Amino acid sequence: MATSFTLGWIDYTIMVVYFLFVLGIGYALKRYMKSSADFLTGGKSIPAWITGLAFISTNLGALEVMGMAASGAKYGMITTHFYWIGAIPAMIFLGLFMMPFYYGSKARSVPEYLKMRFDEKTRGFNALSFAIMTIFASGISMYALAMLMETLLGWNFTLSIFISALIVLVYTYLGGLKSAIYNEVLQFFLIVIGFLPLVFLGLISIGGWEGLTKQLAEVATSHGYAAGAYTETWKPVAHAADNPMGVEWFGLVMGLGFVLSFGYWCTNFLVVQRAMAAGSMSAARKTPLIGALPKMFIPFLVIVPGMIAMALTSDPNSGFALPIKGNSYDYDKVIPMMLGYYFPTGVLGLGLTALMASFMSGMAGNVTAFNTVWTYDIYQSYISPNRSDKHYLWVGQMATIFGILVSIGAAYMARLFNNVMDFLQLIFAFINAPLFATFLLGMFWRRTTGNGAFFGLLSGTAAAAIHHGLTQPAGATSLIKGGWLGTVVHIYPSEMAQNFWTGIFAFFTCLLLTIIISLLTKQTKTKEDLVGLVYSLTPRIKDESKHWYQRPQFLAIIVGIIAVVLSIIFW
Amino acid sequence: MEIDIRLPIGFMFALLGLLLLIFGLTTEGDPELYKRSLEINVNLWSGSLMIIFGGLMLLFGLRAKRSKTK
C-alpha cells in the first residue's frame, strides 16, 4: 500500500471551508484589537471553558498527535503515563496552587512574574531562552507539516510552508491571542470529531479492546516481555527490563510525573498564557482543571490508533504494515497511514484538515507566546521603555510578522540540518529541566533571593548538561544522545530513562543550590514587594463562585478521581 | 465577550456535517468507496454526528444571545 493518497473534491471543500472559518474568526476579532493588552493578553475576558480547551489544544499540536500515536505503536499503553501521571497532577497543582500568584500578580507573562519576584537577570534569561525556543518550535511545526504534505499529497514543500505561514500570520496578526485561543478551541473539536471514526473503525476491525489485547500479547511475548506489556500501564514498569520503553517506576514518577511534567505545565508560558487570559481569578484557576477533563481521554484518541497500527502490522493477514525505516518501523507514519487505510474520501478530508489544523495551531500558539514575551519582556524592558501603548501594540503586531518569518527560516534549517534541530532541542531541555525548582521556591519560600534563583537556575542547567554528557542510552551511536564528555559513567536502558534522570538531577541541583545561595545572599525585596507573589505573604483568596460545586477545589477532586480510576482500570 | 465562539463553531460543524451527510447519502451502497471503512458509510455517520454537535453549539449560543438582549 502506498503512503500517498488522492483526494476528491469533497476533501478539498472541507479544507477550504475550515480555513475560511479560521480566517473569518481572525477578521471578526480585528476591530476589538485596540490596545497592546487586547492583542497580546486577550484583554483578560475569556470564559474558563474556552481557555481550558485552548490550554490543552495548544499542546495538542500535530507533533504531539503524531508523536503520541508513534509512541503508542512503539511502547503501547504505557505511553498514557505522559497523560495520567505526566500531565494531570501538574495541571491540578497549577490550578490550585500556582495560578493565584500568576494571575494575582498582574504579570503579563511568566518572565514578568520572575522579574517581580526575583530580579532583572532571572527574567532576562527566561525571556530570551523562551523567545528563541518558541520560534524554533513554531518552525519545526511548519517543517513537519510541509514534509507530511509533500509525502502524502505530493504538494510542493515551499508552497506548503508559505500557505501555512500565511494563514497563521493572517489570523494571529488580525486577532492576536484571542484569535489564536478561539481557533484552538475550533481545532480541538475538529481533532476529536475527525479522529473518532479512526478509533472506532480500528477497534471494530481488530475485535475491540479484547482483540487488541490478544494481538498485542503476541507482539509482547515475541519481544520477550510479559503478555500485558503493551496493554497495561503500571505492571510493566516494575523493572526497566519489563517494558519496551526501558523505564522503571521511580524514574517515571519522579522524572516524568514530577520534574518534567511540572516543569512543562506549570512554568511554560505557552500554556500558562492561556490561563492568564481568563476573565477572572476563578476562571484562571479553573482553566487547567477544565482542560484536564478532556486531556485524560485524549490517549484513547491518539495512543490507541498507534496500538492498533502495531497490532495490524504484526498480523500478516491484515494487509496493513507500517513502513520500514532503517532497522525499525517508521513509527511517525502511524497517523497518516491509518487515515489512508480506513478513511474513504469525505472523512479523509476531515481527518487531514484536523491534522493540518493542529500543525497550524501549534505554530500560532508559539507565535502568540513569542510576541508577548518579545514585546513586554524584551522590547519594553530593554530596548525602548516608556512609549505609548499604541507603539507597543504596533511592536506586538510587527513581532508577529517577524516571528513567522524567522519560523520559516527555522523550518528550512530543519530541512537542511536535522542535527542542528536535535541539538537546539537538547539545549532547551537543559534550560527547562530545573525551572520548576525556581518557581516552587519562589512561590512558597519567601527567603529565596534573586541571586539564589538566577545562579541556582544556571547550575541546574549545567547539571543537566553534565549528566547528559556523562551518560548514554543503551546502543547510542551519536554524541547528541549523550556521553560527549568523554567518559561514560552510566548507561541507561533507554533514551527515555536518560531524559527522566537528566531532569531529576537538574531539578535537585537547582533546588539545593538556590536554597544555599539564598541563605548566603541578602534578600533585596521587601515584604511589601512580595505581597501577592509569595504564598506566606498573600492573603488567602476567597473564591467568588456561588456554589461549592463551582469551586476549583471541587473540580480538582473530580479530575483526580477520574485519573486514579483510569489508572486502576488499565493497571 | 464580544463574540460568542459557540456560534462560529456551531455554524462550521453544521455546515461541514451537512456536506458529509449529503455526500454520504449520494454514495450510499458504493462498495468500492466503503471497502476500506469495513462497509460502513462513515461519511453518513460522521456527518450526522457533526450536525448534532454543531446544532447543539448553535442552540446554546443563540439561547445565551437571546437572554442577553432581553
Side-chain angles (χ1 to χ4, degrees):
Chain A
M1 191 183 78
T3 19
S4 63
F5 28 80
T6 42
L7 298 179
W9 61 269
I10 178 96
D11 304 304
Y12 287 111
T13 312
I14 291 171
M15 273 178 210
V16 170
V17 169
Y18 173 74
F19 288 117
L20 285 179
F21 268 88
V22 166
L23 296 175
I25 288 175
Y27 183 74
L29 287 166
K30 182 179 160 239
R31 60 199 177 102
Y32 302 110
M33 297 298 126
K34 294 202 175 71
S35 68
S36 71
D38 290 335
F39 187 73
L40 297 171
T41 64
K44 298 218 178 207
S45 63
I46 306 174
W49 73 271
I50 294 178
T51 51
L53 290 179
F55 188 90
I56 57 161
S57 186
T58 192
N59 181 257
L60 194 65
L63 293 175
E64 159 102 357
V65 172
M66 296 188 19
M68 283 299 153
S71 297
K74 205 170 168 183
Y75 308 123
M77 201 63 185
I78 53 172
T79 310
T80 55
H81 285 307
F82 282 92
Y83 291 81
W84 298 338
I85 185 93
I88 303 304
M91 289 165 87
I92 293 177
F93 187 80
L94 174 67
L96 288 187
F97 300 107
M98 288 179 72
M99 224 42 232
F101 305 112
Y102 279 136
Y103 197 84
S105 69
K106 304 268 187 303
R108 295 167 297 184
S109 67
V110 166
E112 195 168 56
Y113 173 84
L114 288 174
K115 158 85 191 341
M116 296 162 112
R117 174 62 188 84
F118 299 118
D119 55 14
E120 203 58 69
K121 58 179 179 296
T122 315
R123 182 248 287 267
F125 180 63
N126 185 249
L128 212 61
S129 58
F130 181 78
I132 300 172
M133 180 174 72
T134 47
I135 286 301
F136 277 100
S138 160
I140 291 172
S141 267
M142 207 185 291
Y143 160 76
L145 172 64
M147 279 306 278
L148 194 69
M149 291 301 126
E150 195 174 34
T151 45
L152 289 187
L153 304 171
W155 290 5
N156 180 284
F157 183 85
T158 302
L159 192 70
S160 301
I161 291 259
F162 280 90
I163 289 180
S164 54
L166 191 70
I167 291 174
V168 172
L169 175 67
V170 169
Y171 79 80
T172 50
Y173 180 85
L174 290 175
L177 177 64
K178 203 175 249 182
S179 176
I181 287 180
Y182 283 5
N183 275 309
E184 277 156 8
V185 176
L186 192 65
Q187 174 238 333
F188 171 79
F189 289 122
L190 190 65
I191 289 200
V192 173
I193 292 175
F195 282 12
L196 218 49
L198 189 65
V199 182
F200 271 102
L201 292 174
L203 281 177
I204 291 171
S205 77
I206 201 111
W209 180 254
E210 256 168 69
L212 183 62
T213 318
K214 219 175 109 220
Q215 189 66 39
L216 285 177
E218 278 174 37
V219 179
T221 43
S222 76
H223 284 87
Y225 301 115
Y230 283 89
T231 46
E232 290 160 347
T233 58
W234 285 103
K235 269 183 251 166
V237 294
H239 303 285
D242 292 353
N243 62 78
M245 208 185 266
V247 293
E248 93 298 358
W249 67 273
F250 183 79
L252 183 81
V253 172
M254 229 19 213
L256 174 67
F258 182 57
V259 175
L260 296 182
S261 121
F262 280 67
Y264 179 81
W265 292 100
C266 301
T267 70
N268 193 316
F269 183 52
L270 178 64
V271 289
V272 175
Q273 184 181 32
R274 268 77 199 144
M276 283 170 139
S280 67
M281 172 67 91
S282 174
R285 296 182 70 195
K286 274 188 251 176
T287 295
L289 301 170
I290 290 174
L293 288 170
K295 178 87 184 166
M296 287 185 279
F297 297 95
I298 288 177
F300 299 108
L301 214 56
V302 295
I303 296 175
V304 170
M307 293 164 64
I308 296 170
M310 192 67 232
L312 289 174
T313 303
S314 73
D315 176 4
N317 301 322
S318 72
F320 175 95
L322 283 169
I324 307 275
K325 187 184 176 189
N327 52 7
S328 72
Y329 292 115
D330 187 359
Y331 293 106
D332 289 332
K333 291 264 160 57
V334 166
I335 288 289
M337 290 280 296
M338 292 282 280
L339 287 178
Y341 183 69
Y342 283 119
F343 278 9
T345 188
V347 281
L348 181 60
L350 191 70
L352 277 178
T353 309
L355 210 52
M356 283 194 227
S358 62
F359 272 111
M360 288 190 195
S361 98
M363 283 164 59
N366 281 303
V367 167
T368 48
F370 167 81
N371 63 19
T372 307
V373 166
W374 165 262
T375 307
Y376 288 145
D377 292 299
I378 298 175
Y379 185 81
Q380 193 178 23
S381 308
Y382 303 115
I383 299 175
S384 185
N386 305 320
R387 300 287 292 265
S388 70
D389 188 67
K390 268 254 154 357
H391 180 71
Y392 293 123
L393 171 60
W394 178 79
V395 170
Q397 290 170 328
M398 289 305 118
T400 309
I401 298 178
F402 172 76
I404 288 179
L405 288 179
V406 181
S407 306
I408 294 178
Y412 277 97
M413 209 168 108
R415 185 176 160 94
L416 289 175
F417 317 99
N418 221 331
N419 289 337
V420 180
M421 283 300 173
D422 289 345
F423 178 69
L424 275 169
Q425 283 182 315
L426 196 63
I427 302 283
F428 293 131
F430 296 161
I431 292 174
N432 285 337
L435 204 56
F436 182 62
T438 308
F439 278 88
L440 200 62
L441 287 172
M443 285 180 174
F444 297 99
W445 189 45
R446 70 190 224 208
R447 186 64 186 79
T448 320
T449 65
N451 282 328
F454 181 72
F455 292 106
L457 206 52
L458 282 189
S459 347
T461 301
I466 293 169
H467 176 265
H468 185 262
L470 289 175
T471 60
Q472 257 181 355
T477 46
S478 83
L479 290 182
I480 201 105
K481 305 283 183 205
W484 42 269
L485 279 173
T487 43
V488 175
V489 293
H490 186 78
I491 289 182
Y492 286 105
S494 68
E495 211 177 320
M496 202 77 83
Q498 185 197 25
N499 286 344
F500 293 169
W501 281 97
T502 300
I504 294 174
F505 273 95
F507 176 85
F508 284 103
T509 308
C510 177
L511 191 80
L512 206 69
L513 279 164
T514 307
I515 294 176
I516 294 172
I517 299 169
S518 290
L519 290 173
L520 294 176
T521 51
K522 227 177 92 209
Q523 175 63 284
T524 49
K525 298 266 176 189
T526 63
K527 242 183 185 176
E528 288 70 42
D529 288 343
L530 296 179
V531 172
L533 302 175
V534 180
Y535 186 77
S536 61
L537 295 172
T538 306
R540 295 293 149 272
I541 45 162
K542 273 190 85 107
D543 196 78
E544 62 263 43
S545 305
K546 257 189 247 138
H547 306 286
W548 57 269
Y549 55 82
Q550 291 174 330
R551 291 196 186 125
Q553 288 84 344
F554 178 70
L555 202 54
I557 292 170
I558 300 285
V559 170
I561 291 174
I562 301 176
V564 170
V565 169
L566 282 173
S567 300
I568 292 172
I569 293 175
F570 293 98
W571 188 257
Chain B
M1 206 175 46
E2 307 95 350
I3 293 174
D4 192 332
I5 186 66
R6 285 173 290 195
L7 297 176
I9 290 178
F11 190 49
M12 188 192 88
F13 278 102
L15 189 68
L16 289 181
L18 201 64
L19 252 163
L20 276 181
L21 183 78
I22 293 170
F23 185 72
L25 285 174
T26 55
T27 53
E28 174 62 31
D30 183 339
E32 195 51 43
L33 186 64
Y34 294 114
K35 201 174 66 191
R36 52 175 66 183
S37 59
L38 322 168
E39 267 99 51
I40 297 169
N41 189 337
V42 64
N43 286 327
L44 194 74
W45 284 104
S46 286
S48 314
L49 188 78
M50 284 162 75
I51 290 175
I52 295 171
F53 173 74
L56 282 175
M57 277 284 170
L58 279 175
L59 186 76
F60 289 132
L62 288 174
R63 239 182 34 189
K65 199 175 172 184
R66 216 166 2 167
S67 67
K68 213 184 261 175
T69 49
K70 250 180 202 168

